[in-house]
Amino acid sequence: MSTLLVLCESKSGKLKAVTREAVSAAAKIAKALNASVVAVHIGEVEDAAGLGAFGAGKVIQAVSPELTAYSTEGFAQAAAEVIKTAKPIAVFIPATIRGKDLGPRLAARLGHTLLSDCTDVRVAGGKIEIMRPMYAGKVNMWARPTSECPLIGLRPKAFLAEETGTAAAQVESRNVTVDAGKIRARVVEEKLQEGGPVDVTEADIIVSGGRGLKGPENFGMIEELAKILGASVGASRAAVDAGWRPHSEQVGQTGKVVSPTLYVAVAISGAVQHLAGMNSSRVIVAINKDADAPIFKVATYGIVGDAFQVVPALTEAIGKAKAEG
Ligand code: FAD
């Protein structure tokens, strides 16, 4: 039976949601191709067996003393060794910041094709095909990799993590050889943001503000709306360039690419470079006083109005609805 391999990602000893999304996506493809899903985690992780519920038959934990912290070269060496032994038909990699760092290095090391930041995968004519946005998200194309064992980067949140069973995955720890001399940069310290907001790439709901908010002090109402929705705050580049918000919150072509369940764009015009970062969101709500703003072309729901009136009213209404249960 052929194998589909998924590179897992974890944080603080637990698998991240992107891993479950990638395993679920792989499970669907594997079913159509009569293949099995093998997940690979670099290092050991608590909840490896739980990936069975998402469709992984086996989890390989690649172990070496050189792999306690992330390094591009160390992780690429370990992943390449497992891939060479497993000979999968494809490798799925979450297109997170780490995945986007590791994927190209791994592809170069293996001499395989890399298709980055895919938003959908399917099987057509017995072959894997992937969907990728092009031209800053103006066009979506279906592409069929023609080389053997392509590496496929999956955009976080673009795929649903679906529990399809209860069986635990078989977990195997495997020693791998890592040449420490080839690791050129090492993590010496990690400072975790305690209790801080979820990064926009991982957030299920995002409320973003733009230049129309006129100043950093007016992001208070964006934060309030975000709080009541359990959302993270995002921003357009104009708001970031003005120094109103940190670059880590910038959504778009030169910021972060996000695919939340709900994206609320407040006083953002919807320039193509902004849309490139958020137009694969499941539901988009736009609030803008200009009825002709391009953001309305991609919005699921649009509110034409003054953000300074609409946002507090929305926050209040959601608060009331929540209080009433
Ligand atoms: P504006 O375009 O100025 O829009 C403000 C909007 O607010 C308007 O639509 C206006 O009608 C509305 N408004 C004003 N007052 C109110 C009010 N009271 N209530 C409601 N609505 C109101 N941009 C990004 O966002 N992310 C990127 O990653 C990015 N990368 C770029 C890369 C390149 C190479 C280039 C050239 C540009 C990039 N940009 C990016 C910039 C992009 O082209 C736009 O300039 C930017 O997105 C505009 O931000 P904005 O929508 O907040 O501001």
Side-chain angles (χ1 to χ4, degrees), residues 209-214 235-239 241 244 247 250-256 266-275 277 287-291 293-295 303 305-309:
R211 179 154 44 200
L213 291 173
K214 297 182 176 55
S236 71
R237 177 164 163 178
D241 283 355
W244 301 350
H247 184 259
Q250 185 180 315
V251 172
Q253 195 180 317
T254 44
K256 290 180 175 165
V266 183
I268 293 178
S269 58
V272 66
Q273 297 90 353
H274 188 81
L275 301 186
I287 302 168
N288 199 302
K289 66 177 186 184
D290 175 7
I295 191 77
I303 302 173
D306 185 345
F308 294 95
Q309 289 171 3

Side-chain angles (χ1 to χ4, degrees), residues 9 18 40 44 47 65 74 77 88 129 156 175 177 197 216 246 248 254 291-292:
E9 206 170 300
V18 283
V40 181
E44 287 179 334
D47 44 351
Q77 287 180 51
E129 292 184 344
N175 290 321
T177 316
S248 58
T254 44
D292 294 323

Side-chain angles (χ1 to χ4, degrees), residues 253-267:
Q253 195 180 317
T254 44
K256 290 180 175 165
V257 176
V258 300
S259 268
T261 311
L262 171 63
Y263 187 88
V264 185
V266 183

Side-chain angles (χ1 to χ4, degrees), residues 143-276:
R144 178 181 291 185
T146 50
S147 66
E148 269 182 37
C149 185
L151 309 188
I152 298 173
L154 304 183
R155 181 179 289 188
K157 298 271 172 205
F159 298 85
L160 283 180
E162 286 176 282
E163 278 189 66
T164 49
T166 50
Q170 180 203 337
V171 181
E172 176 197 322
S173 284
R174 188 181 293 180
N175 290 321
V176 286
T177 316
V178 175
D179 181 351
K182 294 212 167 110
I183 300 178
R184 285 177 286 184
R186 286 176 187 273
V187 176
V188 286
E189 191 186 1
E190 259 187 12
K191 283 190 180 165
L192 293 181
Q193 256 188 348
E194 285 197 19
V198 177
D199 186 80
V200 283
T201 55
E202 291 173 31
D204 216 31
I205 305 177
I206 298 172
V207 183
S208 276
R211 179 154 44 200
L213 291 173
K214 297 182 176 55
E217 64 284 1
N218 295 326
F219 266 83
M221 65 179 183
I222 300 295
E223 281 166 359
E224 275 170 35
L225 178 57
K227 193 173 169 198
I228 206 150
L229 287 171
S232 293
V233 172
S236 71
R237 177 164 163 178
V240 171
D241 283 355
W244 301 350
R245 301 302 295 182
H247 184 259
S248 58
E249 291 179 3
Q250 185 180 315
V251 172
Q253 195 180 317
T254 44
K256 290 180 175 165
V257 176
V258 300
S259 268
T261 311
L262 171 63
Y263 187 88
V264 185
V266 183
I268 293 178
S269 58
V272 66
Q273 297 90 353
H274 188 81
L275 301 186

